[in-house]
Amino acid sequence: MSEPVNTKKITIALDAMGGDFAPKNEIEGAILAYKEKPAGSDFEIIFVGDENKINPELAGKVTYGLKYTIVHTSEVITMSDDPVAALKSKRGSSLYVAAEIHAKGQADAFVSAGNTGAMLSISTTLLGRIKGVTRPTIGTFMPTVNDTPVFLLDVGATVDMKARFLYEFAEMGNIYAKQFIGIENPRIGLLNIGEEPTKGTDVLKETYTLLQKADLNFIGNIEGRDILMGAADVVVCDGFTGNVVLKFAESFTGILKSKVKNYAYKNMINKLRVALMAPTLRSILSDFDYQNYGGVPLLGVNGVVIIGHGKSSPKAVKNMIIRSQEFIKNDVNSKIEKALEPKNVT
Amino acid sequence: MSEPVNTKKITIALDAMGGDFAPKNEIEGAILAYKEKPAGSDFEIIFVGDENKINPELAGKVTYGLKYTIVHTSEVITMSDDPVAALKSKRGSSLYVAAEIHAKGQADAFVSAGNTGAMLSISTTLLGRIKGVTRPTIGTFMPTVNDTPVFLLDVGATVDMKARFLYEFAEMGNIYAKQFIGIENPRIGLLNIGEEPTKGTDVLKETYTLLQKADLNFIGNIEGRDILMGAADVVVCDGFTGNVVLKFAESFTGILKSKVKNYAYKNMINKLRVALMAPTLRSILSDFDYQNYGGVPLLGVNGVVIIGHGKSSPKAVKNMIIRSQEFIKNDVNSKIEKALEPKNVT
């Protein structure tokens, strides 16, 4: 008899060379995840990467009993590598091998803070898609004026867009938001340039109709300003717009910090004022900190793939590892397959 | 002999019922513009709107010698009116009549804080397009980490997009940024999801080639994060993406204020901290204040049309009136026509 899914020990293939601070942050993140894991739960890590870098990094550390193995690789996919070329030419890379370990069933999840495009193309190729899914998708969480974040998808830069893809994104976003945000019936909004169903491109008009017919809490079109205002829990858009919005939002804290700095440089009194407000501002900006979300899943592939920001800190890597376990325990993929089953006409 | 353009007295048709606080802010803005006008310059205002509302508003005010006439209209185009329907059915509205006065040559410019879509459709119909322009466009200014803002266009929600349109936007944006930001050779960036020329849709790839060939300081593709980071002076994009980014950016200050408020509510110490930092934050956020830019032109129409935010304050209306005079004095439209002339092959 196989163990029930909730008590089975989970094995995670972690691309130890993925992020900008690899393997340091990957290793520290894994240890942190183990140290803070809830009583009764357990997991194992397969560090995939250059053992000559991983071993020295592990050497001096208290590991709190973390069970791990190392699978040695010497190649690395960089952030500037072309995803499709990497899929073909970098099969010895830590990212590829970690995905492959998961695809072969030797690990239950694949986690990396590496090249997002490469994760998308390699995972889709090695794992395949969930039945009913045409196009896997990547979403992102953003803060809102409410207590709960909003899940925006697709940000995975799928530039050709069909109503069917957007509909699938809505179904997948709905399931993931339920689990992650912990709400019963997420409000689904379609990103558009006006509220009326007749707004936008033909693809968006067609999507509007599809979403109305679907078994979703579809609240209609929403506009750019509604995202952070929390008008919806899940915002569906094409990958071009989503990618631009995501990167634009990331620069918001950048410009704010720069303005604060310029203001402080003007004179001593300003400098004092800024010194006084710095902790306040930091506390407020922490809501915009991707590290709190710690990675997002690649939804729609036949596996568990958690993608982290290239700049992931140990805390972010820890959260990615937690996300992958939640994803497995909540059986997200079966729910997606069920939601996208062709409905019987009764 | 006609007067040279620089000393000619300018007449401005102002839609007095346009903004959310009309006619109060329109009237106060016009007076403010007159009060602060540079010595030697002069202008007249035609207030277009309900005289039963305009006259009482003017009654108690010191007008500093502002010369004005009132053209009475009883109809108003609201923010929720459909632009195309308004063009046909609301010909007695303040917005339509003000545009018409300009189109007939009775005023040198048309200024309104009303329904942007209606301004676009009515102005394009009544004024026509500049020779060489296929699609008029609306841009917006945004702050950057540098001392100069960035001009993002199109935000006018042109959803069907061709390389030719984007190329025209680049040429028009180039000319307006030169004048408004006061830089010699604005850096033109094409908004995309990656820097490589092969990124994005087919339309974007074609646009990339057109912009490379053009007599512009084209710096290539830029990404969402580059806008506020000041990587380009002019950012060209399709109207859908531009509209989403513009509205998303507008909500930044909203969420920041809301986070500050929530933080202050937590306890007395936080409340004190926020009180201390409030003036600092206000000063920093003023860069994000649309009122400082005070309206943007509708570029590509055969006339001078300045569009304001619905929430325009008197200061914003004042700046819109200044913008319209600058536009005339700099002869922006002749420059656009010249830039879009078919080049002789030599």
Side-chain angles (χ1 to χ4, degrees), chain A residues 32-71:
Chain A
L32 210 55
Y34 202 81
K35 185 185 167 194
E36 296 179 10
K37 74 178 169 57
S41 76
D42 204 1
F43 69 88
E44 256 183 56
I45 294 283
I46 303 175
F47 289 116
V48 185
D50 187 343
E51 59 187 3
N52 300 315
K53 289 180 178 164
I54 295 170
N55 277 324
E57 202 60 63
L58 275 162
K61 294 219 163 60
V62 184
T63 57
Y64 300 94
L66 169 70
K67 283 164 282 281
Y68 65 85
T69 47
I70 298 173
V71 171

mmCIF file of all heavy atoms in Angstrom, chain A residues 32-71:
data_model
loop_
_atom_site.group_PDB
_atom_site.id
_atom_site.type_symbol
_atom_site.label_atom_id
_atom_site.label_comp_id
_atom_site.label_asym_id
_atom_site.label_seq_id
_atom_site.Cartn_x
_atom_site.Cartn_y
_atom_site.Cartn_z
ATOM 1 N N LEU A 32 17.322 26.641 6.232
ATOM 2 C CA LEU A 32 16.307 27.443 6.911
ATOM 3 C C LEU A 32 14.932 26.773 6.822
ATOM 4 O O LEU A 32 14.180 26.735 7.806
ATOM 5 C CB LEU A 32 16.251 28.825 6.241
ATOM 6 C CG LEU A 32 15.851 30.025 7.077
ATOM 7 C CD1 LEU A 32 16.738 30.158 8.300
ATOM 8 C CD2 LEU A 32 15.959 31.310 6.219
ATOM 9 N N ALA A 33 14.612 26.238 5.639
ATOM 10 C CA ALA A 33 13.325 25.562 5.452
ATOM 11 C C ALA A 33 13.232 24.351 6.363
ATOM 12 O O ALA A 33 12.175 24.057 6.931
ATOM 13 C CB ALA A 33 13.150 25.143 3.993
ATOM 14 N N TYR A 34 14.368 23.653 6.506
ATOM 15 C CA TYR A 34 14.363 22.459 7.351
ATOM 16 C C TYR A 34 14.246 22.826 8.819
ATOM 17 O O TYR A 34 13.489 22.208 9.572
ATOM 18 C CB TYR A 34 15.626 21.623 7.119
ATOM 19 C CG TYR A 34 15.411 20.200 7.543
ATOM 20 C CD1 TYR A 34 14.761 19.305 6.690
ATOM 21 C CD2 TYR A 34 15.810 19.756 8.804
ATOM 22 C CE1 TYR A 34 14.508 18.006 7.081
ATOM 23 C CE2 TYR A 34 15.572 18.445 9.200
ATOM 24 C CZ TYR A 34 14.916 17.578 8.334
ATOM 25 O OH TYR A 34 14.666 16.297 8.720
ATOM 26 N N LYS A 35 14.976 23.859 9.188
ATOM 27 C CA LYS A 35 14.975 24.327 10.583
ATOM 28 C C LYS A 35 13.568 24.751 11.010
ATOM 29 O O LYS A 35 13.143 24.489 12.127
ATOM 30 C CB LYS A 35 15.935 25.519 10.691
ATOM 31 C CG LYS A 35 16.144 26.038 12.097
ATOM 32 C CD LYS A 35 17.013 27.286 12.083
ATOM 33 C CE LYS A 35 16.960 28.001 13.427
ATOM 34 N NZ LYS A 35 17.512 29.363 13.314
ATOM 35 N N GLU A 36 12.837 25.371 10.104
ATOM 36 C CA GLU A 36 11.539 25.940 10.453
ATOM 37 C C GLU A 36 10.362 25.066 10.052
ATOM 38 O O GLU A 36 9.212 25.487 10.169
ATOM 39 C CB GLU A 36 11.401 27.336 9.805
ATOM 40 C CG GLU A 36 12.410 28.330 10.347
ATOM 41 C CD GLU A 36 12.300 29.710 9.689
ATOM 42 O OE1 GLU A 36 11.321 29.946 8.941
ATOM 43 O OE2 GLU A 36 13.192 30.536 9.936
ATOM 44 N N LYS A 37 10.625 23.865 9.557
ATOM 45 C CA LYS A 37 9.518 23.029 9.073
ATOM 46 C C LYS A 37 8.595 22.652 10.226
ATOM 47 O O LYS A 37 9.041 22.471 11.369
ATOM 48 C CB LYS A 37 10.045 21.787 8.358
ATOM 49 C CG LYS A 37 10.620 20.712 9.272
ATOM 50 C CD LYS A 37 11.067 19.505 8.460
ATOM 51 C CE LYS A 37 11.895 18.544 9.310
ATOM 52 N NZ LYS A 37 11.223 18.056 10.519
ATOM 53 N N PRO A 38 7.299 22.547 9.935
ATOM 54 C CA PRO A 38 6.341 22.197 10.983
ATOM 55 C C PRO A 38 6.624 20.782 11.501
ATOM 56 O O PRO A 38 7.060 19.917 10.729
ATOM 57 C CB PRO A 38 4.983 22.233 10.271
ATOM 58 C CG PRO A 38 5.218 22.847 8.930
ATOM 59 C CD PRO A 38 6.667 22.687 8.615
ATOM 60 N N ALA A 39 6.355 20.581 12.777
ATOM 61 C CA ALA A 39 6.542 19.266 13.377
ATOM 62 C C ALA A 39 5.703 18.247 12.610
ATOM 63 O O ALA A 39 4.577 18.532 12.220
ATOM 64 C CB ALA A 39 6.130 19.301 14.846
ATOM 65 N N GLY A 40 6.267 17.077 12.389
ATOM 66 C CA GLY A 40 5.507 16.025 11.715
ATOM 67 C C GLY A 40 5.740 15.994 10.214
ATOM 68 O O GLY A 40 5.537 14.979 9.569
ATOM 69 N N SER A 41 6.157 17.107 9.647
ATOM 70 C CA SER A 41 6.437 17.122 8.205
ATOM 71 C C SER A 41 7.915 16.813 7.998
ATOM 72 O O SER A 41 8.717 16.947 8.911
ATOM 73 C CB SER A 41 6.082 18.475 7.603
ATOM 74 O OG SER A 41 7.072 19.424 7.930
ATOM 75 N N ASP A 42 8.259 16.361 6.819
ATOM 76 C CA ASP A 42 9.663 16.065 6.545
ATOM 77 C C ASP A 42 9.935 16.196 5.045
ATOM 78 O O ASP A 42 9.029 16.054 4.233
ATOM 79 C CB ASP A 42 10.008 14.647 7.014
ATOM 80 C CG ASP A 42 11.503 14.504 7.298
ATOM 81 O OD1 ASP A 42 12.247 15.503 7.143
ATOM 82 O OD2 ASP A 42 11.924 13.394 7.662
ATOM 83 N N PHE A 43 11.167 16.510 4.728
ATOM 84 C CA PHE A 43 11.539 16.539 3.309
ATOM 85 C C PHE A 43 13.033 16.315 3.169
ATOM 86 O O PHE A 43 13.788 16.431 4.135
ATOM 87 C CB PHE A 43 11.102 17.855 2.653
ATOM 88 C CG PHE A 43 11.857 19.067 3.129
ATOM 89 C CD1 PHE A 43 13.047 19.462 2.520
ATOM 90 C CD2 PHE A 43 11.369 19.843 4.192
ATOM 91 C CE1 PHE A 43 13.737 20.582 2.959
ATOM 92 C CE2 PHE A 43 12.055 20.962 4.634
ATOM 93 C CZ PHE A 43 13.242 21.335 4.027
ATOM 94 N N GLU A 44 13.395 15.975 1.943
ATOM 95 C CA GLU A 44 14.797 15.767 1.593
ATOM 96 C C GLU A 44 15.154 16.669 0.429
ATOM 97 O O GLU A 44 14.304 16.939 -0.420
ATOM 98 C CB GLU A 44 14.978 14.327 1.106
ATOM 99 C CG GLU A 44 15.617 13.410 2.108
ATOM 100 C CD GLU A 44 15.825 12.023 1.507
ATOM 101 O OE1 GLU A 44 16.488 11.915 0.446
ATOM 102 O OE2 GLU A 44 15.289 11.079 2.099
ATOM 103 N N ILE A 45 16.402 17.099 0.384
ATOM 104 C CA ILE A 45 16.823 17.952 -0.727
ATOM 105 C C ILE A 45 17.849 17.226 -1.599
ATOM 106 O O ILE A 45 18.755 16.573 -1.078
ATOM 107 C CB ILE A 45 17.461 19.259 -0.200
ATOM 108 C CG1 ILE A 45 16.439 20.125 0.536
ATOM 109 C CG2 ILE A 45 18.127 20.054 -1.348
ATOM 110 C CD1 ILE A 45 15.482 20.898 -0.339
ATOM 111 N N ILE A 46 17.683 17.329 -2.899
ATOM 112 C CA ILE A 46 18.756 16.941 -3.808
ATOM 113 C C ILE A 46 19.355 18.240 -4.349
ATOM 114 O O ILE A 46 18.706 18.956 -5.120
ATOM 115 C CB ILE A 46 18.239 16.067 -4.976
ATOM 116 C CG1 ILE A 46 17.526 14.819 -4.428
ATOM 117 C CG2 ILE A 46 19.394 15.683 -5.910
ATOM 118 C CD1 ILE A 46 16.867 13.946 -5.521
ATOM 119 N N PHE A 47 20.554 18.567 -3.884
ATOM 120 C CA PHE A 47 21.247 19.737 -4.422
ATOM 121 C C PHE A 47 21.837 19.364 -5.780
ATOM 122 O O PHE A 47 22.668 18.446 -5.866
ATOM 123 C CB PHE A 47 22.396 20.177 -3.505
ATOM 124 C CG PHE A 47 21.946 20.802 -2.207
ATOM 125 C CD1 PHE A 47 22.241 20.190 -0.986
ATOM 126 C CD2 PHE A 47 21.251 22.010 -2.193
ATOM 127 C CE1 PHE A 47 21.842 20.767 0.217
ATOM 128 C CE2 PHE A 47 20.855 22.592 -0.997
ATOM 129 C CZ PHE A 47 21.140 21.974 0.217
ATOM 130 N N VAL A 48 21.432 20.055 -6.836
ATOM 131 C CA VAL A 48 21.980 19.768 -8.155
ATOM 132 C C VAL A 48 22.900 20.919 -8.540
ATOM 133 O O VAL A 48 22.469 22.073 -8.616
ATOM 134 C CB VAL A 48 20.862 19.591 -9.201
ATOM 135 C CG1 VAL A 48 21.456 19.165 -10.544
ATOM 136 C CG2 VAL A 48 19.819 18.589 -8.723
ATOM 137 N N GLY A 49 24.178 20.605 -8.740
ATOM 138 C CA GLY A 49 25.124 21.662 -9.071
ATOM 139 C C GLY A 49 26.555 21.227 -8.870
ATOM 140 O O GLY A 49 26.834 20.049 -8.664
ATOM 141 N N ASP A 50 27.429 22.181 -8.913
ATOM 142 C CA ASP A 50 28.863 21.917 -8.840
ATOM 143 C C ASP A 50 29.261 21.555 -7.402
ATOM 144 O O ASP A 50 29.269 22.403 -6.509
ATOM 145 C CB ASP A 50 29.613 23.176 -9.299
ATOM 146 C CG ASP A 50 31.110 22.920 -9.417
ATOM 147 O OD1 ASP A 50 31.592 21.912 -8.856
ATOM 148 O OD2 ASP A 50 31.786 23.743 -10.057
ATOM 149 N N GLU A 51 29.628 20.282 -7.187
ATOM 150 C CA GLU A 51 29.930 19.827 -5.826
ATOM 151 C C GLU A 51 31.153 20.533 -5.240
ATOM 152 O O GLU A 51 31.287 20.651 -4.033
ATOM 153 C CB GLU A 51 30.093 18.300 -5.762
ATOM 154 C CG GLU A 51 31.183 17.753 -6.649
ATOM 155 C CD GLU A 51 31.199 16.214 -6.681
ATOM 156 O OE1 GLU A 51 30.326 15.597 -6.060
ATOM 157 O OE2 GLU A 51 32.089 15.668 -7.362
ATOM 158 N N ASN A 52 31.999 21.038 -6.134
ATOM 159 C CA ASN A 52 33.179 21.771 -5.659
ATOM 160 C C ASN A 52 32.805 23.131 -5.075
ATOM 161 O O ASN A 52 33.604 23.777 -4.404
ATOM 162 C CB ASN A 52 34.177 21.955 -6.803
ATOM 163 C CG ASN A 52 34.624 20.613 -7.351
ATOM 164 O OD1 ASN A 52 34.925 19.700 -6.575
ATOM 165 N ND2 ASN A 52 34.622 20.471 -8.672
ATOM 166 N N LYS A 53 31.616 23.588 -5.388
ATOM 167 C CA LYS A 53 31.142 24.824 -4.783
ATOM 168 C C LYS A 53 30.152 24.546 -3.655
ATOM 169 O O LYS A 53 30.073 25.282 -2.677
ATOM 170 C CB LYS A 53 30.487 25.704 -5.850
ATOM 171 C CG LYS A 53 31.513 26.290 -6.819
ATOM 172 C CD LYS A 53 30.877 27.154 -7.873
ATOM 173 C CE LYS A 53 31.982 27.733 -8.766
ATOM 174 N NZ LYS A 53 31.442 28.262 -10.015
ATOM 175 N N ILE A 54 29.372 23.474 -3.828
ATOM 176 C CA ILE A 54 28.344 23.153 -2.834
ATOM 177 C C ILE A 54 28.979 22.658 -1.535
ATOM 178 O O ILE A 54 28.619 23.100 -0.441
ATOM 179 C CB ILE A 54 27.356 22.102 -3.400
ATOM 180 C CG1 ILE A 54 26.590 22.705 -4.595
ATOM 181 C CG2 ILE A 54 26.387 21.628 -2.324
ATOM 182 C CD1 ILE A 54 25.771 21.699 -5.383
ATOM 183 N N ASN A 55 29.944 21.735 -1.648
ATOM 184 C CA ASN A 55 30.554 21.143 -0.451
ATOM 185 C C ASN A 55 31.215 22.171 0.469
ATOM 186 O O ASN A 55 30.952 22.152 1.679
ATOM 187 C CB ASN A 55 31.525 20.026 -0.842
ATOM 188 C CG ASN A 55 30.785 18.714 -1.066
ATOM 189 O OD1 ASN A 55 29.811 18.422 -0.355
ATOM 190 N ND2 ASN A 55 31.209 17.944 -2.057
ATOM 191 N N PRO A 56 32.042 23.070 -0.086
ATOM 192 C CA PRO A 56 32.643 24.072 0.807
ATOM 193 C C PRO A 56 31.588 24.960 1.474
ATOM 194 O O PRO A 56 31.737 25.362 2.619
ATOM 195 C CB PRO A 56 33.513 24.922 -0.134
ATOM 196 C CG PRO A 56 33.723 24.096 -1.351
ATOM 197 C CD PRO A 56 32.555 23.191 -1.461
ATOM 198 N N GLU A 57 30.517 25.238 0.752
ATOM 199 C CA GLU A 57 29.454 26.081 1.290
ATOM 200 C C GLU A 57 28.741 25.371 2.441
ATOM 201 O O GLU A 57 28.330 26.006 3.420
ATOM 202 C CB GLU A 57 28.468 26.400 0.158
ATOM 203 C CG GLU A 57 27.620 27.640 0.349
ATOM 204 C CD GLU A 57 28.450 28.909 0.485
ATOM 205 O OE1 GLU A 57 29.169 29.292 -0.464
ATOM 206 O OE2 GLU A 57 28.362 29.513 1.567
ATOM 207 N N LEU A 58 28.590 24.062 2.308
ATOM 208 C CA LEU A 58 27.924 23.278 3.353
ATOM 209 C C LEU A 58 28.836 23.039 4.548
ATOM 210 O O LEU A 58 28.359 22.863 5.682
ATOM 211 C CB LEU A 58 27.473 21.920 2.787
ATOM 212 C CG LEU A 58 26.121 21.866 2.068
ATOM 213 C CD1 LEU A 58 26.049 20.608 1.202
ATOM 214 C CD2 LEU A 58 24.968 21.870 3.070
ATOM 215 N N ALA A 59 30.139 23.039 4.284
ATOM 216 C CA ALA A 59 31.131 22.587 5.256
ATOM 217 C C ALA A 59 30.944 23.152 6.669
ATOM 218 O O ALA A 59 30.722 22.419 7.626
ATOM 219 C CB ALA A 59 32.536 22.908 4.740
ATOM 220 N N GLY A 60 30.961 24.452 6.795
ATOM 221 C CA GLY A 60 30.961 25.018 8.134
ATOM 222 C C GLY A 60 29.591 25.165 8.775
ATOM 223 O O GLY A 60 29.478 25.680 9.889
ATOM 224 N N LYS A 61 28.545 24.759 8.077
ATOM 225 C CA LYS A 61 27.192 25.122 8.516
ATOM 226 C C LYS A 61 26.531 24.109 9.439
ATOM 227 O O LYS A 61 26.686 22.908 9.287
ATOM 228 C CB LYS A 61 26.307 25.296 7.277
ATOM 229 C CG LYS A 61 26.737 26.468 6.421
ATOM 230 C CD LYS A 61 25.566 27.215 5.858
ATOM 231 C CE LYS A 61 26.001 28.585 5.386
ATOM 232 N NZ LYS A 61 27.046 28.534 4.326
ATOM 233 N N VAL A 62 25.737 24.632 10.393
ATOM 234 C CA VAL A 62 24.842 23.780 11.175
ATOM 235 C C VAL A 62 23.657 23.476 10.270
ATOM 236 O O VAL A 62 23.006 24.391 9.768
ATOM 237 C CB VAL A 62 24.331 24.530 12.435
ATOM 238 C CG1 VAL A 62 23.470 23.610 13.288
ATOM 239 C CG2 VAL A 62 25.499 25.091 13.230
ATOM 240 N N THR A 63 23.385 22.191 10.007
ATOM 241 C CA THR A 63 22.339 21.863 9.033
ATOM 242 C C THR A 63 21.043 21.390 9.689
ATOM 243 O O THR A 63 20.096 21.047 8.991
ATOM 244 C CB THR A 63 22.832 20.792 8.041
ATOM 245 O OG1 THR A 63 23.243 19.657 8.804
ATOM 246 C CG2 THR A 63 23.997 21.293 7.199
ATOM 247 N N TYR A 64 21.010 21.345 10.997
ATOM 248 C CA TYR A 64 19.797 20.972 11.741
ATOM 249 C C TYR A 64 19.228 19.620 11.317
ATOM 250 O O TYR A 64 18.025 19.397 11.356
ATOM 251 C CB TYR A 64 18.713 22.054 11.609
ATOM 252 C CG TYR A 64 19.170 23.385 12.139
ATOM 253 C CD1 TYR A 64 19.733 24.332 11.283
ATOM 254 C CD2 TYR A 64 19.054 23.682 13.504
ATOM 255 C CE1 TYR A 64 20.182 25.545 11.767
ATOM 256 C CE2 TYR A 64 19.492 24.905 13.996
ATOM 257 C CZ TYR A 64 20.059 25.833 13.123
ATOM 258 O OH TYR A 64 20.487 27.028 13.616
ATOM 259 N N GLY A 65 20.097 18.747 10.822
ATOM 260 C CA GLY A 65 19.648 17.406 10.449
ATOM 261 C C GLY A 65 19.067 17.295 9.056
ATOM 262 O O GLY A 65 18.484 16.271 8.691
ATOM 263 N N LEU A 66 19.196 18.358 8.265
ATOM 264 C CA LEU A 66 18.692 18.325 6.878
ATOM 265 C C LEU A 66 19.269 17.136 6.125
ATOM 266 O O LEU A 66 20.478 16.939 6.098
ATOM 267 C CB LEU A 66 19.086 19.631 6.156
ATOM 268 C CG LEU A 66 18.868 19.671 4.633
ATOM 269 C CD1 LEU A 66 17.380 19.712 4.295
ATOM 270 C CD2 LEU A 66 19.568 20.868 3.996
ATOM 271 N N LYS A 67 18.375 16.326 5.561
ATOM 272 C CA LYS A 67 18.843 15.193 4.761
ATOM 273 C C LYS A 67 18.997 15.646 3.313
ATOM 274 O O LYS A 67 18.068 16.176 2.726
ATOM 275 C CB LYS A 67 17.840 14.039 4.850
ATOM 276 C CG LYS A 67 17.947 13.290 6.184
ATOM 277 C CD LYS A 67 16.753 12.428 6.456
ATOM 278 C CE LYS A 67 15.577 13.234 6.939
ATOM 279 N NZ LYS A 67 15.542 13.664 8.330
ATOM 280 N N TYR A 68 20.201 15.426 2.770
ATOM 281 C CA TYR A 68 20.419 15.875 1.392
ATOM 282 C C TYR A 68 21.374 14.948 0.663
ATOM 283 O O TYR A 68 22.135 14.199 1.284
ATOM 284 C CB TYR A 68 20.977 17.305 1.375
ATOM 285 C CG TYR A 68 22.354 17.436 1.994
ATOM 286 C CD1 TYR A 68 23.503 17.196 1.231
ATOM 287 C CD2 TYR A 68 22.504 17.793 3.326
ATOM 288 C CE1 TYR A 68 24.760 17.312 1.787
ATOM 289 C CE2 TYR A 68 23.762 17.909 3.894
ATOM 290 C CZ TYR A 68 24.893 17.666 3.123
ATOM 291 O OH TYR A 68 26.129 17.765 3.691
ATOM 292 N N THR A 69 21.270 14.996 -0.658
ATOM 293 C CA THR A 69 22.277 14.381 -1.512
ATOM 294 C C THR A 69 22.719 15.449 -2.507
ATOM 295 O O THR A 69 22.027 16.443 -2.701
ATOM 296 C CB THR A 69 21.710 13.172 -2.285
ATOM 297 O OG1 THR A 69 20.458 13.553 -2.863
ATOM 298 C CG2 THR A 69 21.489 11.974 -1.387
ATOM 299 N N ILE A 70 23.870 15.215 -3.105
ATOM 300 C CA ILE A 70 24.347 16.154 -4.121
ATOM 301 C C ILE A 70 24.456 15.420 -5.450
ATOM 302 O O ILE A 70 25.019 14.326 -5.518
ATOM 303 C CB ILE A 70 25.728 16.743 -3.738
ATOM 304 C CG1 ILE A 70 25.621 17.522 -2.421
ATOM 305 C CG2 ILE A 70 26.258 17.649 -4.857
ATOM 306 C CD1 ILE A 70 26.959 17.992 -1.863
ATOM 307 N N VAL A 71 23.857 15.967 -6.492
ATOM 308 C CA VAL A 71 24.068 15.443 -7.843
ATOM 309 C C VAL A 71 24.959 16.455 -8.555
ATOM 310 O O VAL A 71 24.581 17.613 -8.726
ATOM 311 C CB VAL A 71 22.729 15.251 -8.583
ATOM 312 C CG1 VAL A 71 22.971 14.914 -10.056
ATOM 313 C CG2 VAL A 71 21.891 14.156 -7.913
#
